[in-house]
Amino acid sequence: MSAEYYDMPEELDFSLRVFNYIFTTVFIIEAILKAVSLGVNRYCVDRWNQLDIIIVFLSLAGIVLEEMESDIIPINPTIIRVMRVMRIARVLKLLKMASGIRSLLDTVFQALPQVGNLGLLFYLLFFIFAALGVELFGRLECDEEHPCQGLGEHAHFANFGIAFLTLFRVATGDNWNGIMKDTLRDQCDSSSDCIKNCCISSFVAPLFFVIFVLMAQFVLVNVVVAVLMKHLEDSHKQMEDDLEMELEMQRELAEEIRVQKEAEENVPFASTQPI
């Protein structure tokens, strides 16, 4: 996929197609051999094997759509491009050989319920501050008379939707201090019945942005990291316990085999002769 580019030569396109067929054939043979050796039910239970099946079906679907592309059977080119992009899932097969990354992914999947709850908390925080930003800064203007450093066409508090996206920009640290400076302008109307180019107290605006940045960038993000680290620690502890249990079972099995051999050797030879 990294070798593809716009208007590439036909020779390169043909070579990439051939390599795609070769890799797809290898993946199909691998899946069939695993299914035969492990059994279909046992093979389909493992999540990594399920990923292999998905990769095989995506590869086959992409080849079929590419071969069916013609004037007789019109196919949307966007679908073909999407299927080509889905081939990037093949890279995930490399994760099967990296036990550390696999453990980290398992930890992420286990922590998804708690991270989902924290995501709802994030949404609630953004919702509250977006509604508050519309009320506080929704009537600020940016024009030649009132130039802005951060606010603009795609970052303002005139409506709730754009205010929500603006807070995402602030949360990433992208020129949020410029947006805060725009809310601290001197040339504005601070009266209670203001309709155009209204501003608020110079104490409220910094408080609004400082509290939001602290909550979004430091508190909640660190809580998410703490949840993931806790699950990762529990996962490592579980792996160590399983390894110790496996070693203990191996020692017990070796001890039973040794005792059984000693018992067989101590049996008199005469007693083994037929009567």
Side-chain angles (χ1 to χ4, degrees):
M1 291 187 63
S2 60
E4 295 181 358
Y5 59 90
Y6 176 72
D7 198 18
M8 58 184 179
E10 295 183 359
E11 294 80 6
L12 179 59
D13 181 65
F14 177 77
S15 301
L16 294 178
R17 283 175 177 266
V18 172
F19 280 115
N20 183 32
Y21 297 155
I22 293 174
F23 284 118
T24 302
T25 304
V26 171
F27 295 151
I28 294 174
I29 295 175
E30 178 190 11
I32 293 175
L33 292 177
K34 284 185 176 180
V36 171
S37 60
L38 298 176
V40 177
N41 294 331
R42 185 179 177 185
Y43 174 76
C44 295
V45 169
D46 188 82
R47 287 181 295 180
W48 293 102
N49 293 334
Q50 295 173 5
L51 176 63
D52 292 343
I53 295 174
I54 294 174
I55 291 175
V56 168
F57 277 109
L58 290 177
S59 301
L60 290 175
I63 292 175
V64 170
L65 289 176
E66 288 180 357
E67 295 299 330
M68 289 177 60
E69 183 182 10
S70 63
D71 296 334
I72 302 176
I73 305 178
I75 298 177
N76 191 346
T78 304
I79 300 177
I80 298 177
R81 287 195 293 268
V82 169
M83 296 306 300
R84 288 177 179 174
V85 171
M86 293 299 291
R87 288 185 298 182
I88 200 172
R90 297 175 180 177
V91 181
L92 298 177
K93 292 176 67 68
L94 299 175
L95 299 179
K96 297 172 63 176
M97 298 180 292
S99 59
I101 299 180
R102 289 180 58 180
S103 176
L104 183 59
L105 288 177
D106 292 337
T107 301
V108 172
F109 287 131
Q110 293 174 5
L112 280 181
Q114 295 186 17
V115 174
N117 295 332
L118 291 174
L120 292 177
L121 185 59
F122 262 111
Y123 176 79
L124 181 62
L125 176 69
F126 276 79
F127 185 93
I128 294 174
F129 275 84
L132 188 60
V134 172
E135 293 294 330
L136 297 177
F137 317 115
R139 287 170 288 183
L140 285 174
E141 290 188 349
C142 293
D143 49 28
E144 295 181 356
E145 297 181 359
H146 307 92
C148 295
Q149 300 181 21
L151 295 176
E153 180 182 359
H154 303 291
H156 55 77
F157 293 93
N159 57 70
F160 180 82
I162 302 299
F164 205 94
L165 296 177
T166 303
L167 289 178
F168 270 106
R169 178 175 174 178
V170 172
T172 59
D174 182 15
N175 196 24
W176 74 272
N177 53 339
I179 298 176
M180 183 179 68
K181 289 179 181 178
D182 293 335
T183 62
L184 295 173
R185 64 177 58 174
D186 297 328
Q187 299 177 356
C188 59
D189 187 0
S190 59
S191 61
S192 58
D193 56 348
C194 173
I195 298 177
K196 186 178 181 181
N197 193 29
C198 305
C199 59
I200 58 174
S201 171
S202 58
F203 174 76
V204 176
L207 189 64
F208 174 89
F209 286 99
V210 169
I211 292 177
F212 178 78
V213 169
L214 288 176
M215 292 292 294
Q217 291 188 1
F218 298 99
V219 178
L220 292 180
V221 172
N222 288 331
V223 170
V224 173
V225 173
V227 170
L228 293 177
M229 293 299 295
K230 180 65 170 62
H231 280 274
L232 183 61
E233 182 181 355
D234 294 341
S235 176
H236 281 301
K237 185 177 180 181
Q238 182 65 31
M239 291 177 59
E240 292 177 356
D241 294 341
D242 294 340
L243 181 60
E244 291 179 0
M245 184 178 297
E246 184 178 356
L247 293 176
E248 183 65 25
M249 292 177 62
Q250 291 179 356
R251 285 195 294 267
E252 292 179 357
L253 181 60
E255 182 66 21
E256 290 179 0
I257 294 175
R258 186 184 64 81
V259 171
Q260 185 177 1
K261 288 183 177 180
E262 290 180 355
E264 292 177 355
E265 292 175 356
N266 293 331
V267 174
F269 178 77
S271 62
T272 61
Q273 298 297 325
I275 301 175

